[in-house]
Amino acid sequence: MSKPKVFEKPVGVKDYLPHAVSKLRTIERNVLDCMGRWGYRQILTPTIEYYDTVGVASATSDHKLFKLLNNRGTALVLRSDMTAPIARVVSSLLKDEAFPIRLSYHSNVFRTIEEEAGREAEFFQTGVELVGDASAEADAEVVALAIASLQAAGVAQFKFAMGHVGFLNGLFDEVLHGRSEDQETLKFCLLSRDYVGYRERIREWGLDAAEQQKLEGILRLRGGKEICEQALQLTGDEQTRASIEHLLEVWEALEAYGVSQHVLLDLTMIGDFSYYTGMTFEGYALELGSPVCSGGRYDNLLQQFGRPAPATGFALKTTRILDVVGDEDQEQIAVMTLNYTSQNRAQIFQEARALREAGNCVVTRYVEEDV
Amino acid sequence: MRDTLKVAMPKGRIYKQASALFREAGLPISTDFDDTRKLIIELPEANMEFIMAKPVDVPTYVEYGVADIGIVGKDVLMEENKDVYELLDLGIAPCRMSVIGLPDWKPVIHPRVATKYPNVASQYFRELGQQVDVIKLNGSIELAPLIGLADRIVDMVETGQTLRDNGLVEMEQIFSITSRLIANRVSYRMKNDAIQGLCDQLQKVIPDVSK
C-alpha cells in the first residue's frame, strides 16, 4: 500500500465531530441511566488485556482480534467485547461479592475487519451482564432490559428475535445421533444463514421422510409462543424439550413485563455455539442493515477465570444507533460571547462565571482597547 | 397491509427468468420491464420495488440493507461471500462452475489459473492442496489458455458451446449453479411476514432441482 495521505485514518475507525458526540453522549447517558434504574452498576476496564486470558476467552474469533506485543514480548489484545473483561473482574476483584451481580458498561471495542466490507474496527457498545443467575427469569430480565434500553436510546421501530442453542444441539443429536460431523455441517449452514445448503445436505443424506421433515421444518419455526408448541411436538429428546420449556418460561416472563409483542421466537437463530450455552437473542432496528443488539446466556465463560457461574447479558451497538435516532432531543444551547479588555477583565470574568453557574454557555473574547 | 419489499434484481440474462418465475407465483409484474433501462421500478400492485443491479453487486445491496431481498447466482454468492440469508434455490439459470483447459493439458511447474472468480478458484485449489497463481480477468476468460496467459481457467459453463468453439475441454466441475433468493439479516426479521409469504408463493412454482 502507498503511504497514507495526511487526512487518512486506518480503515474502519471514525472521528466523531461535536454534533455526533453530543448525540452519542445523550444516547449513552439515557441508556446507562435506564440500566442503572434496573440495578446495574457501571464499570470500566482497561482497553488492553492479555491475549492468553481475555483474548482467548472472548467470543470473537481469533483472526478478528487486534493483537500486539508489549516490551517483554507478551501478547496483548485490544478488547473485542466487554463480556470477557467483566468475567475477569467478577472472578477476581469482585470474587467475594455474592451473586447475582449486575454490571453495566459503555466502552469502545475493537475488531479487525475485512477491507471494503464497510464494517467498523472500533465502535461503542453499551451493555449489561447478569452473573450468577441461571434462571429463565434472569434471561427474561436481560431481554426486557435490552428492549427498555433501545427505547431509552430513542429507537422507534425495532424487533427482537430469540432462540436457544440447546434446541438445535438436542434436535440434531436426536436425528443424527453419533454423526457429529454432519451435525457440525448443519450448524455451519445455519450459522452462515445458508438455508439452501442446509436443505441440500439433508436431502443428500437420504434420511427417512419423517426425519427429513423434522430437520427442514425448523426453518419455519418463527413466530410467537405457538412456535414452542410446534417444536415440542417435533421431539422427545430431553435436552431439546428442556430448551423449549426454558424459552417458554422466558416468553411468559416477557409477557408479564408487557414487552413480548416486540419479540419473535426463531429456533434457527444461532450465535456462536462454542460460546453461547442457552437462550440467545438479537435486536434489529428498521432502516439498519445489521443488528443493533445481541446477547444471550454464556454459562461456560466464568469458569475460565476460576469462578464458575452462569451468566447472561447483551450489548447494544451504540454507534449504529446514532444512524437511526433523530436530532429532536438535542438541546441547542445558545452561546453567549462576552468581550473584555485588559481594563475590565476581572469584572467580565466574574460576570461570565455567574452566567455559567446559572447554566449558560459563555465564551469570553479579548478585544484591543480603543486608543 | 404488507411492507413494501425492496428487491435487488440482476439485470440481463437472469432478470427475464426471475420475473417470469415471480409472475408464475402470482405476482403482478408486467413484462413491460423486461427490457427497461430504468434503474428503479415501482410495483405498487405487488408491494415491491425492483432495484436493477449488476448481478455481481446484488449481494452487496442486500448485505447493506438498501435492498431487503435479492436474486443472484450461486457463483456470485460463492465469490462475494457476503453475510446474507440464502433462503431459496429458485432453480432458474442453471449452469456450473468448472475448471477448463486445453485437451492436451499436463501438470506444469508454475500453474496459473485465469478467472473472473479469484476467491472461488483460490479456495478450490487450496482444498486440493495445490498452490496456483490466480490471475483475475474481467471477460473472455477462454482466451487465457489459448494464448498462454494461464494453463487452466475457472469459469461458468452453461452449454459448453464457447468451449467447444475454442477447442477447450471441461476438466472438473466445482459446483453447480442456479439463482438464489437472498435476504438481508435485519429485513428477514423486520419484514418477516412479507418475505416468508413470498418464499411460500415461490416455493410452489420452483422447478424441483433435487430430482
Side-chain angles (χ1 to χ4, degrees), chain A residues 236-256:
Chain A
D237 179 70
E238 277 307 307
Q239 188 195 356
T240 321
R241 294 184 75 90
S243 307
I244 298 165
E245 274 150 17
H246 184 93
L247 270 186
L248 204 53
E249 281 177 56
V250 175
W251 182 272
E252 278 162 4
L254 290 173
E255 279 177 342

Side-chain angles (χ1 to χ4, degrees), chain A residues 116-119 158-159 192-196 199 220 222 266 269 282 284-286 288-291, chain B residues 63-65 74 83-89 180 184-186 188-192 196 200 203 210:
Chain A
E116 292 177 78
R119 299 199 172 86
F158 60 86
K159 206 167 246 176
S192 43
R193 302 176 229 294
D194 178 6
Y195 289 1
V196 173
R199 288 193 207 97
R220 305 188 60 97
R222 276 195 311 281
D266 184 339
M269 212 202 53
E282 273 183 347
Y284 314 91
L286 198 67
L288 278 186
S290 60
Chain B
E63 186 186 41
Y64 277 82
K74 184 67 177 170
D83 188 8
V84 294
Y85 278 97
E86 188 179 331
L87 296 177
L88 279 184
D89 182 346
R180 309 294 161 96
N184 171 266
R185 286 179 71 182
V186 174
Y188 187 56
R189 313 289 182 185
M190 297 295 289
K191 301 186 177 179
N192 183 56
Q196 190 59 49
D200 291 346
Q203 223 155 4
S210 67

Side-chain angles (χ1 to χ4, degrees), chain B residues 158-205:
Chain B
E158 203 177 346
T159 60
Q161 194 55 47
T162 318
L163 302 186
R164 284 190 290 278
D165 290 351
N166 290 289
L168 294 167
V169 292
E170 210 174 334
M171 301 163 68
E172 304 278 347
Q173 278 192 27
I174 306 181
F175 53 83
S176 54
I177 300 166
T178 44
S179 294
R180 309 294 161 96
L181 180 73
I182 60 172
N184 171 266
R185 286 179 71 182
V186 174
S187 304
Y188 187 56
R189 313 289 182 185
M190 297 295 289
K191 301 186 177 179
N192 183 56
D193 290 348
I195 293 175
Q196 190 59 49
L198 177 67
C199 282
D200 291 346
Q201 274 172 288
L202 286 171
Q203 223 155 4
K204 286 182 205 137
V205 295

Side-chain angles (χ1 to χ4, degrees), chain A residues 52-313:
Chain A
D52 286 314
T53 60
V54 167
V56 170
S58 84
T60 312
S61 54
D62 200 70
H63 70 279
K64 285 190 180 161
L65 292 174
F66 270 105
K67 303 182 194 88
L68 48 153
L69 297 177
N70 68 4
N71 52 353
R72 294 173 180 198
T74 311
L76 308 174
V77 289
L78 298 182
R79 62 171 169 232
S80 61
D81 60 51
M82 281 293 289
T83 308
I86 285 178
R88 175 179 60 69
V89 171
V90 166
S91 310
S92 53
L93 294 169
L94 297 179
K95 71 174 188 301
D96 296 325
E97 196 168 306
F99 290 138
I101 295 176
R102 290 180 168 82
L103 295 171
S104 69
Y105 59 86
H106 174 79
S107 288
N108 51 346
V109 299
F110 305 85
R111 314 263 170 94
T112 64
I113 50 157
E114 305 288 328
E115 302 246 337
E116 292 177 78
R119 299 199 172 86
E120 291 172 294
E122 179 188 16
F123 56 92
F124 285 91
Q125 282 189 334
T126 318
V128 301
E129 311 297 346
L130 170 48
V131 184
D133 187 339
S135 70
E137 299 299 320
D139 284 330
E141 177 176 320
V142 297
V143 175
L145 177 52
I147 291 169
S149 300
L150 265 194
Q151 285 169 329
V155 179
Q157 282 182 289
F158 60 86
K159 206 167 246 176
F160 279 76
M162 183 168 80
H164 195 296
V165 289
F167 171 74
L168 289 175
N169 276 333
L171 188 75
F172 288 169
D173 200 48
E174 186 186 6
V175 179
L176 302 166
H177 192 69
R179 296 164 64 176
S180 56
E181 242 175 70
D182 290 344
Q183 293 182 25
E184 288 308 313
T185 306
L186 289 190
K187 285 180 197 170
F188 181 77
C189 285
L190 292 181
L191 199 58
S192 43
R193 302 176 229 294
D194 178 6
Y195 289 1
V196 173
Y198 178 87
R199 288 193 207 97
E200 276 173 5
R201 294 298 92 71
I202 292 167
R203 283 173 199 176
E204 272 167 25
W205 292 335
L207 302 168
D208 71 50
E211 286 174 334
Q212 183 172 328
Q213 194 141 33
K214 212 185 248 190
L215 291 178
E216 285 194 29
I218 64 166
L219 295 181
R220 305 188 60 97
L221 288 180
R222 276 195 311 281
K225 200 168 156 182
E226 72 284 356
I227 291 304
C228 293
E229 299 300 324
Q230 294 174 28
L232 278 174
Q233 283 164 15
L234 280 179
T235 174
D237 179 70
E238 277 307 307
Q239 188 195 356
T240 321
R241 294 184 75 90
S243 307
I244 298 165
E245 274 150 17
H246 184 93
L247 270 186
L248 204 53
E249 281 177 56
V250 175
W251 182 272
E252 278 162 4
L254 290 173
E255 279 177 342
Y257 279 109
V259 296
S260 60
Q261 70 278 15
H262 298 296
V263 186
L264 183 77
L265 286 172
D266 184 339
L267 293 174
T268 60
M269 212 202 53
I270 58 175
D272 182 349
F273 272 94
S274 56
Y275 185 77
Y276 287 116
T277 57
M279 180 269 317
T280 62
F281 66 101
E282 273 183 347
Y284 314 91
L286 198 67
E287 307 299 324
L288 278 186
S290 60
V292 288
C293 172
S294 67
R297 175 164 286 286
Y298 52 97
D299 289 348
N300 295 335
L301 179 68
L302 272 285
Q303 70 192 26
Q304 298 185 52
F305 292 91
R307 193 185 180 190
T312 179

Side-chain angles (χ1 to χ4, degrees), chain B residues 111-124:
Chain B
R112 289 201 303 243
V113 172
T115 184
K116 255 198 282 192
Y117 302 89
N119 293 331
V120 167
S122 318
Q123 200 193 339
Y124 175 71

Side-chain angles (χ1 to χ4, degrees), chain B residues 139-153:
Chain B
S140 302
I141 316 295
E142 295 82 3
L143 261 178
L146 299 177
I147 58 174
L149 175 64
D151 57 296
R152 283 167 295 176
I153 62 177

